Amino acid sequence: MNRLTTSIAASGFACFALLYTPQPVMPQIAAEYGLGPSGASLALSAATLALAVVVVPIAMLSERLGRRPVIVVSVLVAAVLGLLLPFAPNYEVFLALRVLQGIAAAGVPAASMAYLADELEKKNLGAAVGAMIAGNSLGGMTGRLVTGMTTDWLGWRHSVLLAGAFGLVAALVVVFLLPKQHNRPKRAPSGMRAATRDPVLLSLYVVAVLLVGAFISFYNVAGFQLSGPAWLETLVFLFYGFGSTAAAVAGRLADRYGRGRVLLLCIGVLALGAVASLVWVPLGLAIVTAGFFASHTTASGWVAARAPSHARGQASGLYLAGFYLGSSVGGTSGATSYEEWGWGGLVLVILGWLALAAMLAQNSSARVTRESTGAMVVLPRRGSSGVPSTMPTDTERVSAGISTTTANGSGPPS
């Protein structure tokens, strides 16, 4: 792993550690403020919803200012707000700080994926995105473990403060380690247009909403489903280690076998985990975690490879807007489903979301296959005598997992 990939993974570690620290202490927050599960989940959703709203504008800003300055400012401001969070005098101020933290943290996901796509060759992109998602997973696990393992002794406010200190250390690592950008983003006025007119990209944005909504729904209510002291319940977040491993493996598999095929497999693993949770919740959470991070790695890598060079920032921003919209709205919807119908009802709702995600992934994969083989016929506009080209572009071939090497007559293409 080179310096760029390592520092991008560290920025994701810091961002996710700060964003998800309140999750294990939601029952304590709910008890202090007299809230139910859906009300307490707003402490998490407020930050992710704010991030979803601003991630596209910040991604576009990174096209002008450069990826590195946006990432550095983002992790530092989010870390400072994380240190202020436990001093909030009431729930309203707490939520306001969470909103500001979500806005501040948006720069990391908004610029990171595009940064990797700008600097690395496409054949290495899947593995790099896998490393980035692994950093996200480890950050989320660390932040949750710090708060969950210490809240019984320190109280939730001091445990959140301790997690904020970990986030600040990770942010400082990013500041000193993140290298300067060599390839400046290609600015073009048609970038947003390109990012919103491709049916495959549009499908992947929706897939992001569905996947993260399912995943966050499970973890938002896990503390209410499990019984025991907070530190023991928090051990389920060790499953994020499975997520880190699955993300790294999925990135390499997608580079080798094609992103559509691997994405469908990963969604299937996620659905298997949902069903397994009906037998034993911790087992289901372990499988769901591995399936989610593998799916997220594959889908986000697909977006980075599919988007034209002048639309990478916008496409990455739209994917992440869907991701964090799903985290906030989907997570709260899942908590509401749990309140109404219990764990079994939540599982049925999530299986419906995953079925829709699988359908979109299958349709996108079939479309890319038709493009890469030249089977998709594009008719010329009326009045035009030109014959449109049916040859796939390099980006389309890469996104399908097909070689872009041209045969030179001395042997078969690689």
Side-chain angles (χ1 to χ4, degrees), residues 108-178:
V108 172
S112 295
M113 193 160 61
Y115 198 174
L116 292 174
D118 288 341
E119 299 290 311
L120 301 177
E121 296 180 6
K122 282 188 170 64
K123 65 180 180 181
N124 300 321
L125 185 57
V129 171
M132 180 187 74
I133 303 302
N136 297 349
S137 171
L138 288 174
M141 180 181 72
T142 301
R144 291 169 168 100
L145 286 175
V146 169
T147 52
M149 296 291 287
T150 60
T151 188
D152 284 340
W153 296 278
L154 301 177
W156 71 264
R157 291 182 183 273
H158 289 91
S159 64
V160 169
L161 178 62
L162 183 60
F166 273 88
L168 179 60
V169 171
L172 292 175
V173 170
V174 175
V175 172
F176 291 106
L177 190 63
L178 188 63

Side-chain angles (χ1 to χ4, degrees), residues 10-392:
S11 68
F13 179 96
C15 178
F16 275 70
L18 292 164
L19 281 178
Y20 292 105
T21 50
Q23 196 169 50
V25 295
M26 280 184 180
Q28 289 79 11
I29 294 175
E32 180 167 337
Y33 295 109
L35 305 170
S38 58
S41 69
L42 190 59
L44 183 67
S45 300
T48 53
L49 182 59
L51 192 155
V53 170
V54 303
V55 68
V56 174
I58 293 180
M60 297 174 69
L61 183 65
S62 75
E63 302 279 344
R64 287 181 171 272
L65 301 180
R67 317 291 189 198
R68 187 184 189 282
V70 169
I71 293 173
V72 168
V73 171
S74 178
V75 293
L76 285 177
V77 175
V80 170
L81 289 170
L83 294 175
L84 295 176
L85 193 63
F87 298 101
N90 53 55
Y91 193 57
E92 289 73 19
V93 174
F94 184 87
L95 287 180
L97 288 173
R98 287 287 292 167
V99 169
L100 293 175
Q101 192 176 42
I103 294 172
V108 172
S112 295
M113 193 160 61
Y115 198 174
L116 292 174
D118 288 341
E119 299 290 311
L120 301 177
E121 296 180 6
K122 282 188 170 64
K123 65 180 180 181
N124 300 321
L125 185 57
V129 171
M132 180 187 74
I133 303 302
N136 297 349
S137 171
L138 288 174
M141 180 181 72
T142 301
R144 291 169 168 100
L145 286 175
V146 169
T147 52
M149 296 291 287
T150 60
T151 188
D152 284 340
W153 296 278
L154 301 177
W156 71 264
R157 291 182 183 273
H158 289 91
S159 64
V160 169
L161 178 62
L162 183 60
F166 273 88
L168 179 60
V169 171
L172 292 175
V173 170
V174 175
V175 172
F176 291 106
L177 190 63
L178 188 63
K180 293 182 179 179
Q181 191 167 1
H182 296 99
N183 299 317
R184 295 286 298 179
K186 296 181 179 180
R187 293 171 52 191
S190 59
M192 182 58 73
R193 185 179 181 184
T196 55
R197 296 190 67 178
D198 184 343
V200 174
L201 290 176
L202 292 174
S203 294
L204 291 172
Y205 305 153
V206 178
V207 167
V209 175
L210 297 169
L211 292 179
V212 75
F215 175 69
I216 293 296
S217 292
F218 272 122
Y219 274 94
N220 274 4
V221 301
F224 297 94
Q225 181 71 12
L226 301 171
S227 59
W231 68 267
L232 182 60
E233 296 172 15
T234 304
L235 291 179
V236 299
F237 293 109
L238 288 173
F239 297 151
Y240 272 54
F242 297 130
S244 298
T245 303
V249 172
R252 290 179 171 82
L253 291 178
D255 283 340
R256 183 172 182 179
Y257 297 108
R259 294 176 173 85
R261 190 179 304 171
V262 174
L263 180 57
L264 281 171
L265 174 63
C266 296
I267 293 173
V269 172
L270 218 167
L272 176 64
V275 174
S277 72
L278 295 172
V279 179
W280 190 36
V281 172
L283 173 64
L285 287 176
I287 300 174
V288 162
T289 304
F292 167 71
F293 280 103
S295 300
H296 175 38
T297 296
T298 308
S300 58
W302 196 351
V303 169
R306 175 83 180 182
S309 60
H310 67 279
R312 284 173 182 156
Q314 292 89 336
S316 297
L318 288 170
Y319 174 86
L320 291 164
F323 183 94
Y324 289 103
L325 180 65
S327 179
S328 55
V329 177
T332 301
S333 298
T336 303
S337 299
Y338 175 74
E339 284 184 344
E340 293 293 329
W341 305 304
W343 189 265
L346 173 64
V347 169
L348 288 177
V349 170
I350 286 174
L351 288 176
W353 294 349
L354 295 178
L356 179 55
M359 182 184 69
L360 291 171
Q362 173 60 37
N363 290 342
S364 297
S365 182
R367 183 182 184 90
V368 171
T369 300
R370 291 195 301 269
E371 292 172 350
S372 65
T373 58
M376 180 172 288
V377 178
V378 181
L379 297 177
R381 293 183 179 179
R382 182 177 297 177
S384 171
S385 60
V387 179
S389 172
T390 59
M391 292 298 292

